[in-house]
Each structure stands twice: as structure tokens, then as C-alpha cells.
């Protein structure tokens, strides 16, 4: 059964014919902008399994990892849906809040904790990586 999701205004909808490879909570500095001050939760999927309907805008910049990352969002409502690194084009990271069922996206790791503010709350049950983790796949 496909995993489905979309943006807040529903102009963008997607489906994914694969299970998530891993879900991670990311406190990198860029994610703090996207997450309104908090971390983002991102589920990694094979990019070939993703089908998108609707217009996306793409903002690319060099991430803290040193790789060029593309962040795609709905130009109407501004919801961030996907990120992908040019270094690993076979993977796409889906912003977990856009999943129709966010229960599918239980995080297994907290990453970029070195960039988090002192008041950040980490889930003590999860392994933490101070900066860039090893590739998801
Ligand atoms: Zn939208
Ligand atoms: Zn991040």
C-alpha cells in the first residue's frame, strides 16, 4: 500500500511505493529555519519510489554537510515537503509532517545536535550524532 501525503493547501500531493529506510530528527541550522526554531523530522525513501503531483519550488544551497541540497516546497502555502542531496540522488527525505499518517515516521536518531540551541529537547531514548550521520543508504 502506498504511503501518501501532501502540503497544507493540498496543491501538492505525493505517493511513495516503498517503506521508509530511516527517519531522523535533524537540528542542523537550516532545519531550524524550516522548523520554525525546532528540529525537522525527515523520513528517507528511495527517490525512485516517489510520485509527485502539483507544482514545487526548489531552493538549493550548500548544506552544513558540504553537499548541495535541494529543498522543495509548495509555492502557494510554503510547506516544505522534500529535501535531497546532489551527493545521494537515489534518496529523498520527506518532511514527516506532510505525511497523511505521521505515525509512520517514528524517529530512530537525532542528528546535528552540535547545532542545536541550549534549550533544545532531545529524546534520550534515541542515539545522537553531533554532526552529519553516515549515509542512510
Ligand atoms: Zn500548498
Ligand atoms: Zn537538517
Amino acid at each position: 500500500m502506498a504511503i501518501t501525503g501532501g502540503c497544507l493547501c493540498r496543491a501538492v500531493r505525493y505517493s511513495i511505493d516503498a517503506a521508509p529506510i530511516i527517519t531522523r530528527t535533524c537540528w542542523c541550522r537550516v532545519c531550524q529555519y524550516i522548523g520554525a526554531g525546532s528540529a525537522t523530522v525527515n523520513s528517507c525513501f528511495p527517490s525512485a519510489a516517489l510520485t509527485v503531483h502539483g507544482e514545487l519550488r526548489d531552493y538549493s544551497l550548500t548544506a552544513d554537510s558540504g553537499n548541495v541540497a535541494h529543498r522543495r516546497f509548495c509555492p502557494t502555502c510554503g510547506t516544505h515537503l522534500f529535501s535531497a542531496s546532489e551527493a545521494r540522488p537515489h534518496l529523498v527525505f520527506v518532511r514527516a509532517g506532510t505525511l497523511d499518517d505521521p505515525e509512520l515516521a517514528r524517529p530512530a536518531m537525532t542528528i546535528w545536535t552540535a547545532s542545536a540551541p541550549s534549550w533544545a529537547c532531545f529524546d534520550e531514548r534515541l542515539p545522537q550524532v553531533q554532526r552529519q550521520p553516515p549515509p542512510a543508504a
Side-chain angles (χ1 to χ4, degrees):
M1 201 175 77
I3 293 171
T4 56
C7 69
L8 189 58
C9 77
R10 300 186 72 85
V12 178
R13 295 290 299 164
Y14 63 80
S15 67
I16 306 166
D17 282 311
I21 296 166
I22 190 172
T23 298
R24 299 185 294 211
T25 298
C26 183
W27 277 97
C28 83
R29 195 64 187 92
V30 172
C31 280
Q32 292 174 47
Y33 283 84
I34 294 167
S38 191
T40 63
V41 179
N42 307 283
S43 294
C44 180
F45 292 91
S47 48
L50 173 68
T51 305
V52 181
H53 298 280
E55 182 195 354
L56 289 167
R57 195 161 296 168
D58 185 319
Y59 178 67
S60 66
L61 83 170
T62 302
D64 287 351
S65 63
N67 297 318
V68 175
H70 293 264
R71 294 179 177 77
R72 292 186 285 160
F73 56 95
C74 172
T76 302
C77 71
T79 301
H80 277 253
L81 292 106
F82 310 113
S83 69
S85 170
E86 287 188 357
R88 307 193 75 74
H90 58 290
L91 300 177
V92 62
F93 291 84
V94 176
R95 307 296 185 191
T98 69
L99 294 167
D100 288 339
D101 182 7
E103 284 293 333
L104 297 172
R106 184 176 299 277
M109 185 183 290
T110 306
I111 65 174
W112 283 99
T113 57
S115 298
S118 61
W119 47 258
C121 292
F122 302 134
D123 187 335
E124 297 296 335
R125 296 168 298 181
L126 302 182
Q128 297 178 11
V129 176
Q130 287 200 329
R131 292 187 173 80
Q132 183 72 10

